[in-house]
């Protein structure tokens, strides 16, 4: 077998383990510096200009950011003469979710469709899509292009530029996706309902953002907070712990002590990865202390090896914590850290969940530090989690995600109409609750 052929087979084996963080990928041919520069000059790859979603095992083009600017949502029948349904089946077989969960697959494959296609077919400068229309099928060709990459830059003063950089850092601006990781908006003029959208627990200065956010909620006298974790793949444990500290009014322990395989498990981290010569020299000096501490912190209890962290110790809520009602929007794209904070909020009955089952497991996931291992012969890359990270609250349903209190699964018709059925249901529920309260108050007054 070639390395790529081995990846195709081996990924179907690792999938059965049922750990979504056990990610593997083939080693693609590395481009030279000259080739990389030439490719960059040619602009964005075709898949980078398109957004896909999967509904009922069918692939749909949701957004076209290419020069074509295809405006409507349409089903993709073929890509370069390959049936889209066959590609979906093939890619799904190479992907693992947590436990027996199935909601994760369509969300992740749809979002990363271009990545999976590239693993199999290599980098493409153009792709041909056959779209299903009412009258007849239509071909759409998308080429590597600089369209949209040469936006006119606004000249700013040093002070203005610094202010803009700080703001982007606070909201976790992703320059590739051109979107913020964190956003706060108010849905009503009286600011009684706020929507906190978190697209990922990564990038930027989250402490400043959450400090300002909950100060604002307190100042605006917000009664209801909606937290949108849909399609949030996760990120930093320290960030979800910090967010949780604003959502409770009592001391808490965020997660259990990490469970590891042995005393040496934590010694497999990518300790020397990244940084320049000076930084690596300092790491070499500190290495004996680092490895000794990580070895000695592991203790054995019965048949388990446990590793304590600051997140498994008692934590204090923030002074300006939010006391109002909380709704959480979730779907199969809510994974890893999104599932951990969801299981914490669900297990303590602190929030009402709307959407579909999370892609990440309720009872924890094997993650924490995740070193990258390259297999010696096939050169397949394998990302391996070193510890089980789990909230104290557990579900009796093993190997599944956090289930919503109200199940609402959007359809392709919702995307065509540009409506958000999950969010709309919450807004209507808030109105219903308000009307009931008013009616009860009127009866009480009588």
């Amino acid at each position: 077998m070639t390395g790529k052929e081995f990846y195709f087979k081996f990924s179907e084996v690792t999938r059965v383990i049922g750990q979504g963080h056990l990610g593997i990928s083939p080693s693609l041919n590395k481009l030279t510096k000259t080739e990389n520069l030439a490719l960059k000059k040619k602009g964005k790859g075709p898949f980078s200009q398109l957004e896909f979603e999967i509904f009922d095992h069918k692939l749909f083009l949701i957004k076209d950011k290419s020069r074509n600017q295809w405006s409507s949502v349409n089903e993709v029948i073929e890509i370069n003469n390959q049936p889209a349904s066959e590609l979906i089946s093939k890619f799904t077989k190479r992907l693992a979710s947590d436990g027996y969960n199935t909601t994760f697959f369509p969300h992740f494959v749809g979002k990363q469709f271009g990545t999976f296609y590239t693993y199999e077919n290599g980098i493409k400068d153009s792709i041909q899509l056959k779209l299903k229309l009412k009258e007849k099928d239509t071909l759409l060709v998308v080429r590597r292009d600089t369209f949209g990459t040469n936006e006119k830059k606004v000249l700013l003063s040093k002070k203005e530029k610094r202010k803009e950089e700080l703001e982007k850092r606070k909201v976790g601006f992703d320059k590739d996706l051109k979107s913020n990781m964190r956003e706060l908006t108010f849905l009503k003029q009286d600011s009684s309902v706020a929507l906190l959208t978190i697209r990922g627990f990564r990038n930027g200065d989250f402490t400043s953002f959450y400090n300002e956010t909950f100060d604002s909620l307190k100042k605006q006298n917000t009664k209801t907070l909606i937290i949108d974790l849909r399609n949030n793949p996760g990120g930093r444990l320290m960030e979800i712990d910090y967010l949780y500290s604003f959502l409770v009014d009592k001391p808490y322990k965020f997660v259990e002590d990490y469970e590891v395989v042995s005393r040496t498990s934590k010694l497999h981290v990518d300790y020397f990865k990244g940084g320049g010569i000076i930084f690596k020299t300092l790491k070499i000096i500190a290495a004996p202390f680092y490895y000794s501490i990580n070895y000695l912190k592991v203790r054995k209890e019965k048949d388990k090896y446990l590793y304590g962290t600051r997140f498994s110790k008692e934590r204090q809520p923030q002074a300006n914590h939010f006391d109002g009602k909380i709704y959480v929007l979730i779907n199969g794209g809510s994974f890893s850290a999104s599932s951990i904070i969801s299981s914490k909020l669900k297990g303590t009955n602190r929030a009402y969940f709307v959407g579909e089952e999370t892609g990440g497991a309720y009872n924890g996931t094997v993650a924490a530090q995740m070193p990258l291992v390259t297999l010696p012969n096939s050169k397949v890359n394998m990302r391996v989690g070193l510890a089980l990270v789990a909230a104290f609250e557990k579900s009796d349903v093993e190997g599944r995600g956090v289930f919503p209190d109200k199940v609402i699964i959007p359809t392709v018709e919702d995307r065509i109409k540009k409506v958000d059925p999950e969010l709309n249901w919450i807004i209507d529920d808030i109105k219903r609750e308000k009307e009931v309260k008013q009616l009860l108050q009127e009866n009480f007054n009588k």
Side-chain angles (χ1 to χ4, degrees):
M1 287 185 182
T2 63
K4 189 182 288 187
E5 288 169 341
F6 181 74
Y7 156 73
F8 295 151
K9 294 293 183 184
F10 187 50
S11 58
E12 293 185 29
V13 177
T14 56
R15 181 183 195 271
V16 185
I17 294 171
Q19 285 296 339
H21 285 87
L22 183 61
I24 71 170
S25 62
S27 291
L28 303 176
N29 293 329
K30 289 187 177 180
L31 301 177
T32 64
K33 190 176 180 180
T34 304
E35 289 171 331
N36 267 317
L37 285 171
L39 204 62
K40 192 174 181 180
K41 283 183 180 179
K42 289 166 74 174
K44 285 186 177 181
F47 281 110
S48 299
Q49 303 171 55
L50 307 172
E51 289 184 18
F52 300 101
E53 276 195 71
I54 294 173
F55 294 96
D56 298 324
H57 203 71
K58 296 176 182 178
L59 185 69
F60 288 86
L61 175 60
I62 300 298
K63 188 178 288 186
D64 177 9
K65 295 177 283 187
S66 73
R67 195 177 294 272
N68 298 292
Q69 295 287 289
W70 191 271
S71 58
S72 60
V73 174
N74 286 101
E75 183 184 350
V76 180
I77 305 299
E78 294 178 354
I79 295 181
N80 289 345
N81 299 317
Q82 292 180 280
S85 58
E86 289 182 13
L87 291 172
I88 291 171
S89 296
K90 197 184 293 184
F91 298 162
T92 301
K93 287 178 183 177
R94 299 173 191 157
L95 178 66
S97 73
D98 280 348
Y100 314 110
N101 171 281
T102 58
T103 62
F104 178 66
F105 298 115
H107 287 277
F108 194 81
V109 172
K111 194 172 183 180
Q112 300 294 330
F113 197 87
T115 301
F116 285 108
Y117 189 90
T118 303
Y119 285 166
E120 181 159 325
N121 302 284
I123 297 171
K124 298 291 182 184
D125 282 338
S126 68
I127 56 173
Q128 178 180 282
L129 288 74
K130 183 189 282 187
L131 304 178
K132 184 178 181 180
L133 300 177
K134 290 181 180 179
E135 295 81 11
K136 60 179 180 178
D137 293 346
T138 299
L139 292 180
L140 175 66
V141 178
V142 181
R143 296 180 174 82
R144 184 176 292 279
D145 199 355
T146 57
F147 179 78
T149 60
N150 299 318
E151 296 175 355
K152 190 176 180 181
K153 293 183 178 180
V154 179
L155 294 176
L156 301 172
S157 65
K158 284 185 178 180
K159 187 177 180 180
E160 289 172 327
K161 192 174 181 180
R162 177 60 178 163
K163 186 179 179 182
E164 184 183 67
E165 287 173 355
L166 288 172
E167 183 61 29
K168 283 185 175 181
R169 187 166 180 268
K170 183 176 66 180
V171 297
F173 181 73
D174 189 310
K175 62 181 180 180
D176 294 322
L177 298 176
K178 294 192 183 304
S179 64
N180 301 328
M181 287 294 106
R182 311 169 200 89
E183 286 182 337
L184 177 70
T185 53
F186 291 96
L187 301 186
K188 294 194 171 190
Q189 289 183 345
D190 60 1
S191 303
S192 65
V193 182
L195 173 64
L196 176 58
T197 303
I198 310 174
R199 298 181 178 89
F201 293 107
R202 64 185 193 279
N203 295 4
D205 178 16
F206 63 86
T207 54
S208 295
F209 177 83
Y210 292 128
N211 287 340
E212 289 184 19
T213 291
F214 287 92
D215 279 343
S216 179
L217 296 182
K218 188 73 74 175
K219 190 181 295 183
Q220 299 293 339
N221 197 26
T222 302
K223 303 297 183 184
T224 305
L225 175 63
I226 305 168
I227 303 175
D228 189 352
L229 298 180
R230 290 173 295 180
N231 298 312
N232 181 325
R236 300 172 289 196
L237 185 67
M238 65 178 74
E239 179 170 347
I240 58 173
D241 168 74
Y242 197 68
L243 170 59
Y244 187 78
S245 69
F246 286 98
L247 305 176
V248 290
D249 60 0
K250 296 177 182 177
Y252 65 94
K253 290 182 179 180
F254 191 63
V255 294
E256 295 180 329
D257 289 342
Y258 291 173
E259 183 181 345
V260 295
V261 174
S262 69
R263 290 190 185 278
T264 60
S265 291
K266 296 286 285 183
L267 307 186
H268 293 280
V269 297
D270 288 332
Y271 178 69
F272 293 102
K273 187 177 180 181
I277 295 174
I278 296 174
F279 190 63
K280 284 186 176 179
T281 302
L282 293 172
K283 279 194 169 186
I284 291 170
I285 296 169
F289 302 98
Y290 176 84
Y291 284 109
S292 297
I293 290 169
N294 275 278
Y295 178 82
L296 294 171
K297 279 187 74 175
V298 178
R299 69 185 191 280
K300 190 173 183 180
E301 288 187 6
K302 296 181 180 179
D303 60 339
K304 293 182 179 180
Y305 287 97
L306 302 175
Y307 181 95
T309 73
R310 59 190 169 110
F311 306 111
S312 57
K313 295 177 181 178
E314 188 173 277
R315 317 277 287 164
Q316 296 298 320
Q318 298 291 332
N320 61 337
H321 56 264
F322 180 75
D323 293 322
K325 186 169 183 177
I326 299 173
Y327 291 90
V328 180
L329 289 161
I330 52 172
N331 65 8
S334 307
F335 187 71
S336 189
S338 294
S339 291
I340 293 171
I341 192 170
S342 292
S343 61
K344 191 73 183 175
L345 290 166
K346 180 80 169 180
T348 54
N349 296 314
R350 182 62 186 98
Y352 189 91
F353 287 78
V354 177
E356 70 174 343
E357 179 189 358
T358 60
Y362 192 122
N363 291 342
T365 187
V366 177
Q369 290 89 352
M370 294 181 288
L372 183 66
V373 178
T374 301
L375 303 186
N377 296 311
S378 65
K379 304 304 178 186
V380 164
N381 301 306
M382 185 163 63
R383 183 75 67 181
V384 184
L386 297 182
L388 172 63
V389 184
F392 277 86
E393 293 69 29
K394 296 291 185 294
S395 168
D396 293 333
V397 184
E398 190 60 48
R400 297 297 295 272
V402 177
F403 290 95
D405 298 293
K406 176 65 180 179
V407 177
I408 299 178
I409 300 173
T411 64
V412 68
E413 285 74 22
D414 293 321
R415 296 292 182 262
I416 293 170
K417 295 176 182 177
K418 297 182 178 179
V419 297
D420 188 334
E422 303 104 299
L423 182 58
N424 288 345
W425 184 91
I426 291 176
I427 293 170
D428 290 340
D429 191 58
I430 294 169
K431 289 179 182 176
R432 285 191 294 269
E433 190 173 283
K434 188 175 181 180
E435 288 170 359
V436 169
K437 283 182 179 179
Q438 287 177 343
L439 186 62
L440 289 171
Q441 185 63 48
E442 288 172 5
N443 289 333
F444 178 78
N445 292 336
K446 288 178 181 178

